[in-house]
Amino acid sequence: MNSLSLLNSQQKEAVTTTQGPVLILAGAGSGKTQVIIQRIAYLIRKKQIPPQQILAVTFTNKATEEMRERLKGILSGKQNGVHLSTFHALGVNMLRKSIHHLGYRPNFIIYDKNDQLSVIKTIMEDQDFDDTGLIDAKSVHFEISQSKSIGEGPEVFLDQQESQQKQMIGKIYRQYQKTMKGCNAIDFDDILNLTLSLFEKHPEVMDNLTERFRYIMVDEYQDTNRIQYKLLRHLTKQHRNLCVVGDDDQSIYGWRGADVRNIFDFEQDYPEVKYVRLEQNYRSTQIILQAANQVISENTQRMPKKLWSEKQGGVKLDWLQSENEAEEVEGVTRKIRTKILQHGNRYLDFSILYRSNFQSRSLEEALREARIPYRVVGGASFYDRLEIRDALAYLKVIHNPNDEVSLHRIINTPRRGIGKTALVQANACCQEMHLPLFKVMLRARKYEKIPKNAAFTMEMFAGIIINYQQRFANERFANVFKELLDEVGYIRFLETQSGEPKLRERRVKNVLELLNGIRTYSEKNPEDSVRQYLERITLFTENDNDADSKADQVSIMTLHSAKGLEFPFVFMIGMSEGLLPNKRSLDEGRVDEERRLCYVGITRAQQELTFSMAKSRKRFGEIIPQEPSRFLLNINPELLTVPIIGEASEEIKKERRHESRSAFFTQFKQIEAS
């Protein structure tokens, strides 16, 4: 059977256009993976291209394996020799053959994150940076990784003379690179940077690669960063047979280096480019696609395309507006249970999407309360996050001081001057006296092995635990817990950590969300103790990480994690200004990417889509009124079961598109004409 007969006319054009640069603008649900597979098969079968000359690059090992299996099913062995790879696997392959030109030996090793942190910690100790309180190893690691992702070296930090913190990071970064090279080791970020260095500094040794790979395809092109973009230019400089598949409307990873300009700039570097737009959607109903088109069309800069489906009509989009967050998630769980009971749907048919991780706390509790099985996709459960485990460890030690795992977790978090040496000596005393660590800490100054200053601090800390044990026994533990975290300075510790501001902000939000949850629990269960609360959390979270993707569970996830997935029934919760778009994006003028995130969420739905929001949210003890997201106000009310009305709606609707919009569309008038 002719496999091309299964394709629509645009897909056939994408498959059969094999010479020169091709940009396939593949809208959500338009069958792009099928196009890539069929294009490789067409090159081998019809064009008689040797498989060894074909390179297909994806972003995940899972996608690579899926592509390999599908090719095997179509070509039955004729695909042998096609190079299917992630960018990083391709880079390692190149480096193994040529890295000696950069002063490394071919048997280099790749350090994982723990190895990298160990190197950084050693450097910090050697240079006495670990006692300054200005930086910590994890934040230094983050800064180094971020810099490498855009091709920047230590000098970027060293040039910032006015910042002592940046100077320290620069010195550590510089020494880190020397140490790594001395160990003949590279890290994950080095892979692409060193590969690019080979192309730029030793182009002659890379000629065999540019000769070998004469047909190159790249999936998810909108997710490439500038280093990957430069690598592709080097690989295609001779033949220019580069086919990239992407959708600027789904470019949502700018925060990790993805650069949507790679799509917008493609015509500048490849002026002979052939554009092919895949607009027929095989996933969603026409009503869902109309809403998606109306939302994304408001973006100031995008490649023109309009999704459509043969699934005409469909169920109208639902709108749930509740008084508060608790009622919002209860409304969502109630609707899911109704569909399960009345219509016989499965839990795995449902997905609940949200903008930020902290929103999962109230959602998870509502699902548990309703006895709805669920799994958290693409991230840890709320209760598995670092800062939540830290905070709960305080509760666990209050409940059981002999819980030494939790005690070791909090004894120096935040740092309180109990160093490794003091802990080693305290543990030695535990072994000699056959006592638990907490009892040794209560009388630490009587043990000569323990340094005096550390011993005094241990007794002070143990005294805080004893004091709060008594308070927890006699007072509402939600209020006492907040005071405990304030006294030990945990939230202040999160606020003052060095590193990415967004990460600090997110961790603080998560802890405040935990406090909100405990307060709600305490109000509903005034007689319950710390033990009962911890027992409830433990029972509910024990199997969270064992969820199987095929199990009958509701999938909950952030909008970022939802990309590439699809579900019959999708709920998008927290659809209010300040959540989507989130406040930081509004403050920084990055609304376009937030709109793309909303578009990605909408296009996950196959049959039905429900939006929800709370009219008010509680933050820091204050009730804050909410208005519907500006994105929803772009949707024609006729597509909705209930009109979305907010006080700010008319103001938002009157917002004018930027002047650059018309200029941008003029740039692509030839695409529209075609």
Side-chain angles (χ1 to χ4, degrees):
M1 182 179 68
N2 181 7
S3 57
L4 292 182
S5 64
L6 302 175
L7 306 178
N8 63 41
S9 58
Q10 288 74 32
Q11 291 174 328
K12 287 179 185 176
E13 184 180 12
V15 167
T16 57
T17 305
T18 59
Q19 297 300 309
V22 181
L23 174 54
I24 302 174
L25 293 167
S30 61
K32 68 179 179 63
T33 304
Q34 173 78 343
V35 167
I36 296 172
I37 297 297
Q38 293 294 344
R39 195 172 192 274
I40 294 173
Y42 184 82
L43 284 167
I44 295 171
R45 281 176 173 170
K46 301 296 183 182
K47 294 296 184 179
Q48 300 297 306
I49 302 300
Q52 293 79 8
Q53 293 185 6
I54 301 172
L55 167 66
V57 185
T58 66
F59 270 80
T60 66
N61 291 314
K62 180 181 177 182
T64 301
E65 288 307 311
E66 179 187 347
M67 192 177 295
R68 183 171 285 113
E69 288 302 311
R70 292 178 65 172
L71 270 176
K72 188 186 298 182
I74 294 176
L75 294 172
S76 304
K78 293 181 181 178
Q79 81 287 347
N80 292 337
V82 174
H83 195 95
L84 304 174
S85 174
T86 63
F87 271 104
H88 287 86
L90 177 65
V92 170
N93 185 277
M94 295 178 183
L95 292 175
R96 289 293 180 201
K97 298 174 183 176
S98 307
I99 199 171
H100 60 279
H101 292 281
L102 300 176
Y104 292 81
R105 297 186 299 280
N107 64 338
F108 63 86
I109 58 175
I110 302 172
Y111 274 7
D112 63 19
K113 185 176 180 180
N114 289 330
D115 294 329
Q116 296 162 35
L117 283 170
S118 179
V119 173
I120 291 171
K121 287 175 182 176
T122 300
I123 294 170
M124 290 178 66
E125 290 171 2
D126 290 345
Q127 298 187 5
D128 294 326
F129 287 160
D130 56 325
D131 294 325
T132 63
L134 290 174
I135 53 176
D136 61 85
K138 287 185 178 179
S139 60
V140 171
H141 176 269
F142 173 82
E143 293 282 3
I144 292 174
S145 180
Q146 286 292 99
S147 295
K148 287 187 177 185
S149 73
I150 54 177
E152 293 181 345
E155 62 280 353
V156 173
F157 297 99
L158 294 170
D159 288 344
Q160 299 184 42
Q161 301 290 337
E162 71 284 354
S163 172
Q164 183 182 1
Q165 183 187 67
K166 297 295 184 184
Q167 285 281 302
M168 287 181 178
I169 293 172
K171 291 175 182 177
I172 296 168
Y173 186 179
R174 183 172 58 193
Q175 185 59 43
Y176 171 80
Q177 290 299 93
K178 290 180 180 178
T179 302
M180 292 285 284
K181 194 167 187 177
C183 296
N184 198 40
I186 66 175
D187 60 30
F188 195 71
D189 298 302
D190 285 329
I191 294 171
L192 297 184
N193 279 290
L194 292 174
T195 304
L196 183 60
S197 292
L198 281 174
F199 276 111
E200 293 177 343
K201 297 177 181 177
H202 303 278
E204 70 285 353
V205 305
M206 307 303 281
D207 284 345
N208 63 324
L209 285 169
T210 55
E211 274 293 324
R212 175 188 168 186
F213 297 130
R214 302 193 66 80
Y215 295 87
I216 298 177
M217 278 166 277
V218 182
D219 192 14
E220 303 289 4
Y221 186 66
Q222 76 281 346
D223 294 336
T224 54
N225 60 30
R226 295 308 276 187
I227 293 176
Q228 291 159 339
Y229 180 82
K230 291 177 181 178
L231 283 173
L232 290 171
R233 287 185 61 188
H234 283 292
L235 281 169
T236 58
K237 67 179 180 181
Q238 293 183 16
H239 53 73
R240 298 177 74 78
N241 293 327
L242 174 62
C243 174
V244 299
V245 186
D247 181 8
D248 55 301
D249 290 336
Q250 296 187 76
S251 180
I252 59 174
Y253 298 122
W255 50 276
R256 69 182 188 195
D259 197 334
V260 71
R261 292 178 303 166
N262 291 352
I263 284 186
F264 297 155
D265 293 348
F266 197 80
E267 188 175 13
Q268 295 179 20
D269 293 301
Y270 301 91
E272 72 275 33
V273 61
K274 168 71 175 179
Y275 287 96
V276 181
R277 286 177 291 169
L278 305 183
E279 298 173 300
Q280 182 175 357
N281 176 285
Y282 294 91
R283 175 188 299 156
S284 310
T285 65
Q286 186 61 31
I287 280 184
I288 291 171
L289 297 181
Q290 281 181 260
N293 288 331
Q294 289 166 6
V295 169
I296 200 62
S297 66
E298 293 296 314
N299 258 4
T300 57
Q301 290 193 345
R302 61 184 291 266
M303 305 285 270
K305 71 187 79 69
K306 191 173 184 180
L307 295 180
W308 62 276
S309 172
E310 291 183 345
K311 301 176 184 177
Q312 292 302 309
V315 178
K316 286 189 174 184
L317 314 183
D318 205 2
W319 171 240
L320 305 179
Q321 190 167 245
S322 308
E323 292 300 323
N324 53 52
E325 295 167 272
E327 289 186 14
E328 178 188 9
V329 291
E330 285 171 10
V332 169
T333 57
R334 187 163 53 247
K335 184 171 180 178
I336 291 175
R337 288 191 66 82
T338 299
K339 284 194 167 291
I340 294 289
L341 295 171
Q342 295 182 2
H343 304 288
N345 299 113
R346 302 167 300 172
Y347 288 118
L348 60 83
D349 292 333
F350 296 85
S351 178
I352 306 173
L353 312 180
Y354 41 86
R355 172 61 179 85
S356 302
N357 278 312
F358 75 87
Q359 292 173 260
S360 76
R361 194 274 308 164
S362 58
L363 175 60
E364 289 188 59
E365 293 197 350
L367 290 168
R368 290 165 179 157
E369 196 73 29
R371 298 187 179 278
I372 294 176
Y374 72 92
R375 66 188 184 109
V376 181
V377 178
S381 166
F382 180 85
Y383 297 99
D384 283 339
R385 291 168 191 143
L386 174 70
E387 59 277 9
I388 301 303
R389 285 185 286 142
D390 283 347
L392 289 176
Y394 277 95
L395 275 186
K396 292 177 179 178
V397 172
I398 294 290
H399 170 59
N400 177 16
N402 292 333
D403 179 354
E404 294 199 3
V405 171
S406 296
L407 182 57
H408 274 98
R409 186 178 189 92
I410 65 174
I411 197 168
N412 226 15
T413 306
R415 185 175 294 184
R416 49 179 59 90
I418 303 174
K420 292 181 181 178
T421 302
L423 275 176
V424 168
Q425 297 299 342
N427 281 301
C429 294
C430 293
Q431 295 292 326
E432 290 177 10
M433 306 300 296
H434 303 287
L435 292 172
L437 178 59
F438 187 79
K439 286 198 173 181
V440 170
M441 290 175 63
L442 277 171
R443 303 285 184 270
R445 282 182 290 179
K446 69 179 264 188
Y447 300 101
E448 294 182 358
K449 286 185 177 181
I450 303 175
K452 290 184 179 179
N453 289 341
F456 178 78
T457 304
M458 286 181 183
E459 289 188 9
M460 291 285 291
F461 179 70
I464 291 173
I465 298 299
I466 294 294
N467 175 45
Y468 276 91
Q469 277 183 319
Q470 296 168 354
R471 291 193 59 189
F472 272 93
N474 299 307
E475 303 175 47
R476 291 272 287 272
F477 78 84
N479 297 332
V480 180
F481 186 40
K482 173 66 165 63
E483 292 180 26
L484 168 63
L485 293 182
D486 285 341
E487 181 163 341
V488 300
Y490 186 68
I491 293 178
R492 186 168 62 254
F493 161 72
L494 294 177
E495 291 173 334
T496 56
Q497 279 187 306
S498 56
E500 188 192 21
K502 290 181 183 178
L503 180 61
R504 294 199 302 266
E505 181 182 3
R506 185 162 65 244
R507 286 178 169 172
V508 170
K509 279 185 177 180
N510 286 338
V511 173
L512 294 175
E513 188 67 15
L514 174 68
L515 290 171
N516 284 336
I518 290 176
R519 188 173 293 109
T520 300
Y521 176 87
S522 183
E523 290 169 355
K524 288 184 177 179
N525 308 279
E527 302 302 318
D528 280 7
S529 64
V530 172
R531 178 191 63 78
Q532 290 164 305
Y533 174 76
L534 291 172
E535 185 177 274
R536 178 175 181 270
I537 293 298
T538 302
L539 290 174
F540 280 143
T541 60
E542 186 177 8
N543 296 316
D544 278 352
N545 293 327
D546 297 328
D548 188 285
S549 61
K550 296 180 181 178
D552 192 22
Q553 300 169 312
V554 173
S555 297
I556 73 171
M557 68 196 83
T558 64
L559 286 161
H560 283 100
S561 297
K563 187 169 174 293
L565 302 178
E566 57 186 40
F567 300 89
F569 306 96
V570 170
F571 293 81
M572 293 175 64
I573 67 172
M575 293 299 295
S576 59
E577 287 287 296
L579 284 180
L580 185 70
N582 70 5
K583 187 176 184 303
R584 178 181 289 274
S585 297
L586 289 172
D587 293 342
E588 296 177 357
R590 293 183 291 104
V591 176
D592 276 14
E593 184 159 322
E594 293 289 293
R595 189 181 296 277
R596 294 195 290 266
L597 200 53
C598 182
Y599 171 83
V600 165
I602 293 173
T603 53
R604 299 311 95 194
Q606 296 170 302
Q607 299 176 24
E608 295 185 25
L609 175 63
T610 301
F611 299 113
S612 73
M613 67 162 277
K615 291 181 182 178
S616 65
R617 298 177 65 82
K618 184 182 288 186
R619 284 292 172 269
F620 314 110
E622 181 183 357
I623 304 296
I624 303 173
Q626 302 286 290
E627 289 295 332
S629 167
R630 67 185 65 194
F631 304 147
L632 299 186
L633 301 175
N634 299 131
I635 298 175
N636 187 333
E638 293 182 1
L639 301 180
L640 295 148
T641 57
V642 180
I644 299 174
I645 301 173
E647 293 179 8
S649 63
E650 290 306 315
E651 176 186 343
I652 294 171
K653 284 180 178 178
K654 289 178 182 177
E655 288 185 352
R656 293 292 180 256
R657 301 177 185 180
H658 300 140
E659 291 181 359
S660 60
R661 181 175 176 81
S662 58
F664 188 82
F665 272 85
T666 300
Q667 180 184 353
F668 296 103
K669 61 184 178 181
Q670 292 180 333
I671 305 172
E672 285 283 41
S674 67

